[in-house]
Amino acid sequence: PALGLFLFTIARDPLRIIILIAGAFFWLVSLLLSSLIWFIAVKASDPRDEPLQKGLLIFGVMFSVLLQEAFRFLYYKLLRKAIEGLVALSEDGCSPISIQQMAYVAGLGFGLMSGAFSMINLLADALGPGTVGIHGDSQLYFLTSAFMTMVLIFLHTFWGILFFHGCEHRCWWEIAAVVVMHLAVSGSTFCNPLYVGSLVPSYLLMAAAAAWAYILSGGSAQNLRRFLLCKS
């Protein structure tokens, strides 16, 4: 599904591709910084203290979420400046891309890079040694991880729309809602290997975020009905 979004809505537009790649880069930088902080914290602590190491892992995840959202805000500020430059260079005084479209493309860039790293980690685990479920654990590890990766890609896309709308209209509670949802989804992964505890809440939040983003983007029930019935 994420590849379909890229092919049908972004691949044919060079400007959208640039915004997508830049968004992926911003997410990558946030991951690099959060990984560096977590690595230093682990090296400076006692590796034999399991409660401490688990606490550091939780801290690392929460810190990474906050850093990602901080970089999303920085990317919004950068794109806002870019729109002003595009308007100044255009002949008709209009930007070739709206802030809503930028929010969608930037969110998808965040999501695709996040999904790519999740996939790389899974493929590294798949090389072995051992077999999934050999000690009685769930054999659905790779399948559930694929579904979790997909929901995170879509969530980042919807969060991008919500976040940019909040910044654009000074609705700080929308930005806070995005941060809270991001923390909730990331925190739910600590329920694994009880995958129901992470997948079900994440998909429910995705549905809510999708409906919210659709409404903020100007969508309506009438437009949705026309789309489903293939009417113009």
Side-chain angles (χ1 to χ4, degrees):
L3 180 61
L5 287 179
F6 172 77
L7 292 177
F8 291 111
T9 64
I10 294 175
R12 298 180 181 179
D13 191 325
L15 182 58
R16 293 185 183 186
I17 293 177
I18 293 172
I19 295 172
L20 180 91
I21 294 175
F25 174 75
F26 268 71
W27 186 91
L28 196 60
V29 174
S30 72
L31 177 68
L32 175 64
L33 292 178
S34 58
S35 299
L36 181 63
I37 297 297
W38 180 79
F39 179 78
I40 293 174
V42 169
K43 289 298 182 181
S45 61
D46 185 3
R48 294 169 295 182
D49 191 343
E50 292 186 5
L52 176 61
Q53 293 301 316
K54 185 176 181 180
L56 287 176
L57 180 61
I58 296 174
F59 161 77
V61 171
M62 300 299 112
F63 180 78
S64 176
V65 168
L66 296 177
L67 200 58
Q68 287 177 48
E69 297 306 328
F71 269 81
R72 200 192 301 273
F73 178 75
L74 292 177
Y75 193 39
Y76 162 77
K77 301 295 286 186
L78 178 64
L79 290 178
R80 209 69 192 81
K81 293 293 184 181
I83 286 182
E84 296 175 3
L86 291 172
V87 170
L89 293 174
S90 65
E91 296 180 355
D92 56 358
C94 297
S95 173
I97 184 171
S98 66
I99 190 66
Q100 291 88 353
Q101 293 171 335
M102 281 188 170
Y104 161 73
V105 177
L108 186 58
F110 267 60
L112 287 176
M113 184 55 69
S114 172
F117 264 79
S118 298
M119 186 178 295
I120 290 172
N121 290 333
L122 288 174
L123 292 176
D125 289 338
L127 292 176
T131 303
V132 174
I134 195 172
H135 293 298
D137 297 324
S138 174
Q139 298 185 16
L140 302 177
Y141 170 70
F142 292 112
L143 182 63
T144 53
S145 297
F147 276 99
M148 194 66 192
T149 299
M150 184 177 70
V151 74
L152 281 174
I153 294 175
F154 280 114
L155 278 170
H156 271 293
T157 304
F158 302 141
W159 288 337
I161 296 172
L162 298 176
F163 195 97
F164 278 41
H165 185 273
C167 293
E168 196 72 7
H169 295 85
R170 307 279 182 178
C171 295
W172 306 119
W173 65 272
E174 291 182 353
I175 299 175
V178 170
V179 176
V180 170
M181 283 191 288
H182 199 167
L183 287 170
V185 172
S186 298
S188 69
T189 58
F190 290 107
C191 295
N192 295 337
L194 182 61
Y195 297 116
V196 175
S198 59
L199 282 177
V200 173
S202 297
Y203 272 84
L204 290 176
L205 278 176
M206 185 192 72
W212 192 1
Y214 178 73
I215 294 172
L216 292 183
S217 301
S220 64
Q222 183 179 9
N223 291 338
L224 183 60
R225 185 170 61 253
R226 287 177 176 177
F227 167 74
L228 294 174
L229 296 177
C230 299
K231 293 182 178 181
S232 60

